[in-house]
Every structure is written in structure tokens, then in C-alpha cells.
Amino acid sequence: MRRDWLRWLVVPVVVVPLGWLLFVGLGRDPRDIPSPLVGKALPAIEAITLQGDAWSSTDLAGKPAVINFWASYCIPSCVDEHPFLVKLQARHADHLVLIGVLYQDTPDGARGFLARFGDGGWPTLLDPSGRIAVDLGVTGPPETFFVDDHGIVRARHVGPLNAQSLAAGLASIGIAS
Amino acid sequence: MALPLAAAALLALAGLVAVEALRPSPALTQAAEERQIASELRCPDCQALSVAESRTESAAAIRAEIEQLLAAGASPDAVRRHFVERYGTWILLAPPNPLVWWLPALALLAGGGALVLWLLRGRRAERAAEPPPPVDDRLRSRVREEEAELDA
């Protein structure tokens, strides 16, 4: 009788937590690392753009923003998402700020990429010291942050954007794609 | 005999771990502190290496930031927090909760305990089992007869 009771105890105490751990652990995307920045204010950014202008995050001035870390060597991911960004800029440039940040790349490499795949006209910030990438906890290109009109980071997407992930990111900052 | 020995060995091991964990570490220079913190942080774009070992630009940027923060008077813990606030606990190569280190030992103890209980219970059950009924002469002769019939 007592042994039966112990056997039934094993199920909730050992099997259920172990099964839950395996279910959660194996079902996770190892690239999907939650960003602690989500829900917090965007760290201050000051940089020079690829075009040679000074840019500061204070320029956002109440506009929502999409900040995309990319590099010319990031192939095919950055190439795959590029048309979505071009379309985003064309459709939402009047009420949204799209900013690129060059990740561990040279300005010449970036210019070559834009000449080949199309320059949508949004600024790309240079980050030669890697400071902007570290401040935003970037793990590698492409990586995209969605910032609302109050300067709060609402979502982070790791990997190339597609129609679905872009729509989800834009929805998090109150923009219908 | 084996059980007390195993218990003594486990106790000695736990003692050694406790002594090592509680031993005060000597004061470090800033350069040594930088190296120490860098060795505890995961390189963001290589993942299998620490920031101290990696030669990527992100690792270099993090090392530079560690140096700046320490030079500005931040404590090593504040520097670690600085990076955890940006990357999450993922950036730490070692789990932040010290309990995690004890989990394998706890699992070993629990497993060992369960095994000992199971063996003891088996032995007790063996002892408690009723002896087989005595075989009388009549039964013995009947078995022999049946054996003989089968052999025939």
C-alpha cells in the first residue's frame, strides 16, 4: 500500500518537472535570446552616418523607430531582409524612423552592398568601436529593434526579417504594416 | 562497510568544496580584474568563447567597456550587471545562481539514497518472507513417483 503511494508521488515530483523541462528546453529556438532591453528606454545613441552626418537618438523626437543592425558580409540573411526594409521605408517614412547600424563592417563594404541591392534612403550609423552594438546587446547581424514613440524598446528580432516578423515588430510599436 | 566509506568520501568532498568556496580571494589589480570579468562573459558573436579569449570586434568592444567602467570606479559586480542589463544572463558563462552548482551533487545524493533504500527494502522483504511449508514424506514419495512416471 505504502509502496503504491510512493510510486504515485514519483509522477508529480520527478516525471512532471522533468517532462516540462525537456518540453520547454527542446522546444526553444537557441537563437531566440530574450533581450532585457525590451520594455526599457533605448540607450542614448550618438554616431556618424555612412553619409557623414551626425545622428543622435534625440533626433527621434517622439517618432517610433526601427533600428536594424546589418553588415555587407551578412549573406544571405541581410540580403534576404533588405527588400522588406526598402518597402518599409517607402511606405512608412513619414511617421517612422528607420535606422541602420553597420555591425563590424567597413563603410566601403556597406556602400558596395547598397549599390548592389538598392539604397532605400535611410541612414546607416557607423559603429567602429562596437559601442552601439554592445549598448543594445547585439549578438550578430541581422538584428532589429522596434522602439515606440516614447523611446521604449518594444521588441527585438534576431535573424532576417520577413513579412511576418516585420508585421509583428511593427504591431508592437503600434504600426500596422 | 561500503556505505560508511561512501558517506565519508562524500562528506570529505563537500568539505573541500565548502573550503574552496569560502576561501577569501586575494585583492586583484585593475588589469587582473578586467581579465577576470572578461573571462566570465560570453563573446556575443562566437558564443563558445569568453570575451577574454575571443578576438572578434564585439569582444574587443566589451573589453574596452570593462576597462572604462572599472577606471570610472565601478565595482566588478556593477560591471557584470552592466552587461547583464544589455544582454541578459545569457552573457554570463557561469550560471548566476550558485544553487545550480550543487544540483549534480544533490541529484547524486538523491539517487544514491534511493538506491540504498531500494536495496534495504529488498533485503527486509527477503527476511520477512515466510519460509516454504515443510515437505512431508508422503509428498516427497508422490513427487518421486511422478518423476518416475515421466521418465518412463
Side-chain angles (χ1 to χ4, degrees):
Chain A
M1 186 66 196
R2 193 168 153 259
R3 194 178 282 189
D4 279 351
W5 177 77
L6 271 174
R7 201 171 291 163
W8 283 111
L9 196 70
V10 166
V11 174
V13 170
V14 178
V15 179
V16 171
L18 208 63
W20 181 80
L21 272 177
L22 284 172
F23 178 75
V24 171
L26 296 176
R28 265 183 54 191
D29 177 1
R31 281 170 57 87
D32 183 20
I33 302 155
S35 169
L37 276 184
V38 172
K40 295 191 183 141
L42 177 74
I45 300 173
E46 280 186 4
I48 301 294
T49 68
L50 190 60
Q51 296 76 17
D53 304 318
W55 190 90
S56 162
S57 47
T58 54
D59 295 351
L60 293 175
K63 271 190 172 181
V66 174
I67 302 174
N68 173 251
F69 285 79
W70 68 282
S72 63
Y73 57 79
C74 152
I75 290 171
S77 298
C78 294
V79 177
D80 288 348
E81 71 171 11
H82 195 65
F84 294 101
L85 294 172
V86 171
K87 211 180 282 177
L88 176 72
Q89 175 71 1
R91 202 175 286 174
H92 296 287
D94 55 334
H95 56 274
L96 178 141
V97 179
L98 175 57
I99 295 285
V101 182
L102 200 58
Y103 184 86
Q104 295 185 18
D105 198 1
T106 61
D108 283 345
R111 286 190 195 100
F113 181 99
L114 294 174
R116 189 171 166 201
F117 299 106
D119 187 346
W122 65 89
T124 285
L125 309 181
L126 303 179
D127 186 24
S129 67
R131 184 67 188 260
I132 304 173
V134 170
D135 275 350
L136 270 79
V138 173
T139 55
E143 207 165 301
T144 308
F145 293 82
F146 297 86
V147 184
D148 72 11
D149 50 1
H150 298 290
I152 305 295
V153 178
R154 290 297 171 197
R156 192 261 301 253
H157 179 76
V158 176
L161 288 166
N162 54 30
Q164 215 175 356
S165 52
L166 186 58
L170 289 175
S172 75
I173 54 174
I175 293 177
S177 50
Chain B
M1 186 63 190
L3 204 62
L5 263 177
L10 269 178
L11 267 177
L13 184 68
L16 278 173
V17 171
V19 166
E20 189 57 33
L22 298 173
R23 191 161 57 107
S25 49
L28 298 173
T29 63
Q30 190 186 313
E33 249 168 14
E34 282 167 32
R35 273 196 304 277
Q36 174 68 37
I37 296 169
S39 70
E40 294 169 16
L41 301 179
R42 189 189 306 273
C43 159
D45 47 8
C46 34
Q47 298 190 13
L49 291 173
S50 75
V51 161
E53 294 161 321
S54 170
R55 300 270 74 87
T56 67
E57 286 181 34
S58 335
I62 291 178
R63 284 196 298 270
E65 204 154 322
I66 294 171
E67 187 183 346
Q68 280 173 18
L69 290 166
L70 286 175
S75 69
D77 277 342
V79 176
R80 287 183 196 98
R81 269 199 309 279
H82 173 85
F83 291 103
V84 168
E85 279 165 12
R86 281 150 183 81
Y87 289 94
T89 50
W90 169 88
I91 195 77
L92 301 173
L93 279 168
N97 187 347
L99 187 70
V100 175
W101 294 111
W102 292 96
L103 275 180
L106 288 175
L108 198 71
L109 275 176
L115 185 71
V116 167
L117 274 178
W118 182 68
L119 287 173
L120 286 177
R121 192 173 293 170
R123 230 181 259 178
R124 214 177 294 150
E126 241 172 56
R127 252 180 254 148
E130 280 181 28
V135 180
D136 57 12
D137 288 342
R138 228 178 68 193
L139 184 63
R140 194 169 286 133
S141 64
R142 199 175 141 196
V143 169
R144 279 192 191 133
E145 276 168 23
E146 284 185 8
E147 272 180 351
E149 270 174 33
L150 284 172
D151 289 342

